[in-house]
Amino acid sequence: MSGDAMNPATVAQPGEDVHGDDRWMSQHIRFVQECKDAEPDVLFVGDSMIQLMQQYEVWREVFSPLHALNFGIGGDTTCNVLWRLQNGELQNIRPKVVVLWVGTNNYEHTAEQVAGGILAIAQLLTSRLPKAKIVVLGLLPRGELPNPLRQKNAAVNDFLRSRLPRLGQALLLDVSGGFVHSDGAISQQDMFDFLHLTSTGYRTMAKPLNDLLLQILDEAPEPRRVSLV
Amino acid sequence: MSAEDPNPAATPTPCEDTQGDGRWMSLHNRFVSDSKDKEPDVLFVGDSLVQLMHQFGIWRQLFSPLHALNFGVGGDATQHVLWRLSNGELDNISPKVVVLWVGTNNHGQIAEQICEGIMAIVQVIKNKLPNARTLILGVLPRGKSPNPLRERNAKVNELVQEAVLSLPHASFLKVDPGFVHSNGVPETHAESLDVSKFTDASAVGEPRTTAHPVNAPRQHTRLCNCEGESDIIKGKGRDVVNKRCVCQQFGRRNVKYGKMKTLCQRKKNKNLKRCRRFSKRQREELKKGGNPRKYAPSVPI
C-alpha cells in the first residue's frame, strides 16, 4: 500500500549541492526562466535520460519541430522532479503533452515506492495541466548483464502499467523492447555505459514516442489564445 | 607526530558498485578486452568528458581517423583511472599518444592532491608504455557562476602545467577556448540548445559557431519584432515557411493557413528601437542593418 505520507519517493526535495558548484539549482532556475518566454506544445521532464536526448541529433530532427522543451537534469530522482515542478517549472506554460521519464535514480526506494513517486508526479501534472496528456516512459533495463536493478525497473513498469490508467490523462509507453538481447546482454551500441543511451539507442526509442506524440498532438484542438500586448 | 596520510587521489582504487548493476566493472572489463584486440595509435582515458566525446560526431570526424580508443568512464576520479590503467587497460597495446583528461570528479580533495593523482597516472603510463607521450588536458571550469570548484580546477591546471615542465614524455594542453564570459557566466546557445555549459555532459559540445562573445543582453520583458531566419519546411503536402524569431526558440505555426507568425509578431511588439533586449549599442548596429542572430540572448542571471 502506498500512503503518500509514508512513501519517501513522493516527498519533494531539491537537489543537494554536494560538490559546491550549484549546478542543479542553476539548471532549475534556467528552466523557470524558459517558462516565461517559451510556448511549448510538448514538455519533456525527467533525469539524464531526458537531458541527454537534447544533445543528440534526434532532438533537433524529431522533437524540436514539435515545439518541445527539455527539463531534464541528470541524477534526478522522483523527489527532485516533484520539487522542480512544484517550484516554477510549470508556470506560464500550457503544453499539450508532458513526457515524463524518471525513476532509475531512486536507489534508496523500492520498486513500489518509485512507482508511487512517478504517480505522484503524474497527479501533480494532471492537476496543474488538466488538458494535457501525460506520457510516462517505462524505465529501461540497465547494466551489461541481468542484475537486481533490471528486475527493479521492470517491477516499476509493472506497477505503473496497472495504476497509471486510473489517472485518465496518463499512459505508460514502454520503449525497452529490443535493448536486451537473447543472451541477456545489453549492447554498448545502444547504451554506451549500460545505462545512458547512444545516438542509436535514442533513435530506437524515439520512433514509438514520436508516433505517439504526433497522434496526441493531432487530436488535441488548438486552444484559443488571448494576445496580450 | 603524525604519519603523512597517503593521498587518496593517488592511491589506485576501483569504483565501488553502490548502485547494484556492476557497470563500472563491465566497462573496465570491456576496455581490458579491447586492449587485447585493438591497436590504437591514440588512447583517450579519463572521465565522462572523455567518455561522452565518443558519442558525438566529432569523434568520428577527428579522432577515429587517428585510430583512437576511448577509455573514458563517467564519474571517474584520478584514483579510479589509476586503478584501471594499473589493472589491464594498458596491457597489449602500444599507442603513440595517451590523452589524459581527469580531475574534475575528485571531490573532497584539494588541488595539490589532484595534481599528484594526475602525475601518478602519468607515471603509470610511463612505466607501462615507455615510448608513449602523454598529453594532459586542462580541467575545464564548471558551474554557472564563479565557485570554489572553478578555483580548484584552475589551480590543478597551474600545478600540472608546472609539473610537466620537467617531463620530456608529457605535455599539458589548455582546452578551454574561453567558455567563461567576461561576466563570469558560461555562454549558452539559447537558439540551438545544443550546448548547455552548465552540465559537464556538454562541455565537449559541438564546435561553436557564434562570434566573439558580446556583453550579455539585459533581461527584458518585451519582445521585439526582429527579423528571424526563414526556413522552408515540407509540410503535409504544402511547403510552409517557418519563421523563427531569434528571441524565441521556435515560432508558432499555423499549418492550416500556411501562415507563420513569430511569437513576437503575435504579441504585436513592433518597436525594435524600444526593445530592451538589445543594448543601445546593439540596437544602433541593428538599425544599420546588423544581423540579430549575432546577439543570441544568453540566460539572464
Side-chain angles (χ1 to χ4, degrees):
Chain A
M1 292 305 290
S2 53
D4 269 0
M6 306 214 297
N7 181 355
T10 61
V11 177
Q13 252 175 8
E16 257 188 272
D17 180 20
V18 200
H19 300 150
D21 53 7
D22 215 20
R23 290 185 298 115
W24 193 92
M25 195 50 79
S26 300
Q27 291 176 78
H28 167 66
I29 292 174
R30 184 192 169 161
F31 294 154
V32 175
Q33 287 290 344
E34 282 184 23
C35 282
K36 297 194 176 126
D37 294 333
E39 289 188 0
D41 283 336
V42 188
L43 177 68
F44 285 75
V45 72
D47 52 24
S48 59
M49 306 302 289
I50 292 283
Q51 186 182 37
L52 273 173
M53 223 192 283
Q54 195 172 26
Q55 303 303 320
Y56 292 112
E57 276 300 299
V58 70
W59 182 264
R60 209 160 42 101
E61 286 173 25
V62 176
F63 298 119
S64 222
L66 303 179
H67 300 159
L69 263 194
N70 187 308
F71 283 4
I73 297 186
D76 264 13
T77 60
T78 53
C79 310
N80 301 137
V81 171
L82 207 47
W83 191 93
R84 292 197 279 124
L85 295 177
Q86 286 172 351
N87 285 272
E89 287 186 15
L90 291 178
Q91 270 171 12
N92 301 316
I93 53 171
R94 265 175 292 168
K96 296 180 185 141
V97 194
V98 179
V99 177
L100 175 64
W101 206 4
V102 68
T104 199
N105 293 318
N106 284 57
Y107 299 114
E108 321 263 293
H109 306 140
T110 64
E112 191 167 2
Q113 289 174 330
V114 178
I118 297 174
L119 281 166
I121 299 173
Q123 266 159 355
L124 171 72
L125 289 168
T126 311
S127 64
R128 297 283 294 271
L129 305 166
K131 301 216 175 88
K133 281 268 191 315
I134 323 285
V135 174
V136 177
L137 290 174
L139 300 186
L140 292 184
R142 50 185 286 177
E144 187 180 13
L145 297 166
N147 63 81
L149 283 185
R150 279 207 205 165
Q151 291 151 24
K152 180 181 168 191
N153 284 4
V156 172
N157 292 348
D158 287 336
F159 281 120
L160 289 175
R161 207 165 282 125
S162 57
R163 296 192 200 158
L164 212 46
R166 291 185 215 158
L167 284 183
Q169 292 286 88
L171 51 103
L172 176 73
L173 180 64
D174 192 345
V175 289
S176 57
F179 284 119
V180 180
H181 298 245
S182 49
D183 59 353
I186 289 182
S187 162
Q188 261 189 312
Q189 300 299 317
D190 290 325
M191 297 185 187
F192 61 87
D193 61 355
F194 308 112
L195 171 60
H196 297 108
L197 295 168
T198 59
S199 182
T200 315
Y202 273 116
R203 285 200 187 273
T204 309
M205 57 74 64
K207 179 101 192 28
L209 178 58
N210 188 36
D211 290 342
L212 179 58
L213 290 178
L214 288 175
Q215 206 184 319
I216 299 177
L217 291 172
D218 274 340
E219 288 167 3
E222 276 281 335
R224 290 202 48 208
R225 289 186 185 279
V226 182
S227 64
L228 296 166
V229 176
Chain B
M1 197 160 57
S2 60
E4 198 165 308
D5 291 326
N7 177 4
T11 311
T13 319
C15 194
E16 251 191 274
D17 180 21
T18 50
Q19 294 172 359
D21 51 9
R23 291 180 303 113
W24 192 88
M25 198 49 85
S26 297
L27 287 172
H28 169 64
N29 291 335
R30 273 303 163 105
F31 297 155
V32 172
S33 122
D34 279 347
S35 284
K36 297 191 177 123
D37 296 331
K38 308 214 162 120
E39 293 180 358
D41 284 335
V42 185
L43 177 68
F44 283 76
V45 79
D47 52 28
S48 60
L49 294 184
V50 173
Q51 186 179 38
L52 277 169
M53 235 196 270
H54 202 12
Q55 302 309 316
F56 293 108
I58 202 103
W59 183 266
R60 216 165 17 132
Q61 272 175 49
L62 293 185
F63 302 120
S64 254
L66 303 180
H67 302 154
L69 257 195
N70 188 308
F71 283 5
V73 177
D76 264 15
T78 53
Q79 58 268 28
H80 305 126
V81 173
L82 201 48
W83 189 91
R84 292 198 281 120
L85 297 184
S86 310
N87 284 271
E89 288 185 15
L90 293 181
D91 298 347
N92 304 310
I93 49 171
S94 41
K96 301 186 178 116
V97 187
V98 177
V99 179
L100 175 63
W101 205 8
V102 70
T104 199
N105 292 318
N106 281 62
H107 300 297
Q109 293 162 6
I110 57 175
E112 286 77 5
Q113 290 175 310
I114 302 174
C115 174
E116 223 185 286
I118 293 176
M119 299 323 291
I121 298 174
V122 173
Q123 187 58 47
V124 165
I125 298 173
K126 177 88 176 57
N127 295 341
K128 296 238 177 193
L129 307 170
N131 299 324
R133 285 188 64 95
T134 303
L135 181 60
I136 307 168
L137 301 185
V139 195
L140 292 178
R142 50 186 286 173
K144 178 177 180 179
S145 323
N147 63 78
L149 285 188
R150 280 207 203 165
E151 290 156 28
R152 182 202 73 177
N153 286 1
K155 187 88 207 281
V156 169
N157 291 345
E158 258 180 58
L159 294 171
V160 171
Q161 194 163 15
E162 178 77 40
V164 297
L165 286 177
S166 54
L167 300 178
H169 53 91
S171 0
F172 175 84
L173 181 65
K174 177 176 182 238
V175 289
D176 175 2
F179 281 123
V180 178
H181 269 199
S182 50
N183 62 359
V185 177
E187 185 177 303
T188 62
H189 298 233
E191 278 176 292
S192 65
L193 292 182
D194 275 341
V195 181
S196 163
K197 300 300 185 296
F198 305 149
T199 69
D200 62 352
S202 56
V204 275
E206 306 294 326
R208 296 176 331 145
T209 53
T210 51
H212 183 76
V214 296
N215 290 330
R218 293 190 293 271
Q219 184 175 4
H220 69 107
T221 49
R222 290 200 297 170
L223 303 166
C224 60
N225 192 16
C226 49
E227 299 290 312
E229 73 173 354
S230 280
D231 307 314
I232 308 269
I233 59 174
K234 300 286 175 198
K236 302 177 191 173
R238 64 195 299 161
D239 292 348
V240 176
V241 174
N242 183 8
K243 253 210 149 110
R244 281 163 176 259
C245 173
V246 71
C247 296
Q248 300 295 304
Q249 300 159 22
F250 42 75
R252 298 287 297 167
R253 297 195 304 161
N254 187 336
V255 177
K256 200 165 148 204
Y257 299 108
K259 263 194 284 208
M260 309 287 245
K261 285 193 169 187
T262 65
L263 186 59
C264 304
Q265 288 168 323
R266 287 172 49 247
K267 289 196 174 177
K268 295 190 171 44
N269 289 318
K270 296 202 189 334
N271 199 336
L272 179 59
K273 275 192 293 199
R274 283 218 295 264
C275 173
R276 287 171 280 138
R277 176 183 162 275
F278 300 110
S279 70
K280 193 156 179 209
R281 178 181 63 81
Q282 289 168 341
R283 285 198 297 264
E284 244 123 55
E285 270 197 56
L286 284 171
K287 267 202 292 193
K288 288 192 220 138
N291 177 10
R293 293 202 59 179
K294 240 174 96 182
Y295 307 113
S298 19
V299 175
I301 299 164

